[in-house]
């Protein structure tokens, strides 16, 4: 896949991911970029009872936002997302704001792909920018 001007939104199959997709759509529009959405499911967790329904809901949200969605199955979501980012070279990564008991996902992504700015969206749809922007990149928030 060639380098593209895109905003990548990282989601999980849950209802709150719609807010992330909408934030990604707005940021993509502001930056005249394409919207891409990625989700990584555990190798054995993609068959949970409600997972197909939630994936369908996510696909519908992505289609409504005129984006593309990639679904991967892996027990190493940080490595999988970093590999995807290395191929697509997004202008910006959009993720959910980490909760109290969150893992180190965002820190790991930052270590693996430090050149990509990360925007975090909280439950009130506010956007926080984690990384300073490079001088040669112009990202509008």
């Amino acid at each position: 896949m060639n380098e593209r001007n895109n905003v990548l939104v990282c989601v999980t199959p849950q209802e709150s991911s719609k807010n992330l997709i909408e934030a990604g759509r707005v940021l993509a529009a502001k930056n005249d970029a394409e919207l891409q959405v990625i989700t990584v499911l555990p190798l054995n967790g993609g068959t949970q009872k409600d997972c197909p329904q939630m994936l369908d809901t996510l696909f519908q949200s992505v289609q409504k936002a005129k984006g593309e969605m990639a679904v991967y199955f892996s027990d190493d979501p940080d490595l999988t997302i970093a590999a995807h980012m290395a191929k697509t070279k997004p202008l910006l990564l959009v993720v959910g704001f980490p909760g109290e008991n969150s893992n180190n996902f965002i820190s790991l992504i930052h270590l693996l792909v430090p050149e990509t700015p990360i925007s975090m969206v909280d439950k009130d749809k506010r956007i926080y920018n984690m990384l300073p922007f490079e001088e040669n990149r112009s990202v509008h928030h």
Side-chain angles (χ1 to χ4, degrees), residues 8-106:
L8 182 63
V9 180
C10 185
V11 299
T12 57
Q14 58 187 356
E15 189 69 26
S16 61
S17 291
K18 289 180 182 180
N19 292 340
L20 296 176
I21 294 168
E22 178 58 19
R25 183 195 66 76
V26 169
L27 290 169
K30 284 183 178 179
N31 288 284
D32 193 27
E34 295 179 29
L35 173 66
Q36 289 191 350
V37 177
I38 185 171
T39 189
V40 181
L41 302 172
L43 289 173
N44 63 356
T47 57
Q48 293 175 350
K49 185 178 178 182
D50 60 344
C51 188
Q53 171 116 16
M54 284 308 301
L55 279 176
D56 186 53
T57 301
L58 285 176
F59 273 116
Q60 289 175 19
S61 295
V62 172
Q63 285 181 331
K64 184 178 177 184
K66 301 195 180 338
E68 297 177 4
M69 184 168 172
V71 178
Y72 293 95
F73 292 89
S74 170
D75 289 330
D76 293 312
D78 45 359
L79 295 177
T80 303
I81 291 168
H84 182 87
M85 291 173 68
K87 290 179 192 175
T88 61
K89 301 190 184 327
L91 181 65
L92 176 67
L93 177 67
V94 178
V95 297
F97 201 84
E100 282 183 36
N101 299 322
S102 68
N103 59 19
N104 292 325
F105 171 77
I106 296 171

